[in-house]
Amino acid sequence: MKIRSVEFLGSVVDPKATLPDDGLPQIAFSGRSNVGKSSLINTILRRTRKKLAHVSAQPGKTRTLNFFRVNDAFILVDLPGYGYAKVPAAVREGWKTLVEGYLSREDGPVAAVHLVDARRGAMDQDRQMLEYLAHLGLPVLLVVTKFDKLTRSERKGKSRELAEELGLDPTQVLAFSSKSGEGREDLLGALQGLLAELGGVKS
């Protein structure tokens, strides 16, 4: 998949609000705060100079659902990060309501891309999110971010280990580095294949 066009469609703060909708399939991107989600989105969309997804030094800053139309073919939905301890409990609960409310909508996403930090591995909240996505019947790609932070020996078998730990097929797990660009083409190819399987775009 080659990225030809990207358009920001708007943000949503209420899970019951009308969503940006032009008949395109939506793919949700989720992960813990500070997992590198904004950097990944900017990297795969080739927006490293004029950034679309805001990269913040303060984890947990994103508190909305952000919608981006890609190639007039699908909508990428950037979900708020979760798990940041310094955020008040009421705010964390609000995020949970927003995210779960969106994911469970009939007009919500057709699939999800979930991010896990290579150095931290899958944490309890990651497992809970994957279980929730499985409960909803949403196909999932697991992306292991910050892969460049691992030593050469640590990199060997890391993706396969996570696949076995989380009960995923190894083809569902991809290594990624926003710094080096490693995994960008693999992720775009996986998204293209996923959309084709679901009856979406083929190129």
Side-chain angles (χ1 to χ4, degrees), residues 55-175:
V55 180
S56 175
Q58 179 184 358
K61 188 170 184 179
T62 302
R63 302 181 185 182
T64 59
L65 306 173
N66 297 311
F67 293 76
F68 303 91
R69 182 166 55 216
V70 182
N71 286 357
D72 292 323
F74 74 98
I75 296 175
L76 185 158
V77 186
D78 182 10
L79 305 185
Y82 57 85
Y84 187 49
K86 294 184 179 180
V87 172
V91 174
R92 289 201 301 271
E93 188 61 31
W95 292 349
K96 184 174 185 292
T97 300
L98 175 63
V99 170
E100 292 186 357
Y102 164 68
L103 291 174
S104 62
R105 288 177 61 142
E106 289 187 4
D107 60 347
V110 297
V113 176
H114 186 74
L115 279 56
V116 171
D117 189 320
R119 300 165 300 175
R120 299 178 183 273
M123 304 181 75
D124 288 344
Q125 288 173 313
D126 293 310
R127 295 185 182 88
Q128 291 168 11
M129 174 61 84
L130 291 170
E131 288 173 1
Y132 185 65
L133 294 170
H135 170 72
L136 294 173
L138 292 177
V140 176
L141 291 173
L142 184 76
V143 177
V144 189
T145 63
K146 305 182 183 181
F147 219 65
D148 57 285
K149 302 292 186 182
L150 300 181
T151 65
R152 184 171 298 180
S153 61
E154 289 174 332
R155 292 163 67 98
K156 292 181 179 179
K158 184 67 175 182
S159 296
R160 183 171 293 275
E161 289 172 10
L162 274 171
E164 292 178 356
E165 176 188 343
L166 298 171
L168 300 173
D169 188 287
T171 59
Q172 290 178 264
V173 184
L174 303 172

Side-chain angles (χ1 to χ4, degrees), residues 13-45:
V13 296
D14 182 347
K16 297 181 181 179
T18 301
L19 303 179
D21 179 23
D22 46 15
L24 297 177
Q26 299 174 21
I27 298 182
F29 279 60
S30 66
R32 289 176 57 85
S33 298
N34 209 29
V35 75
K37 181 160 52 63
S38 295
S39 295
L40 178 144
I41 290 172
N42 287 322
T43 297
I44 65 171
L45 298 183

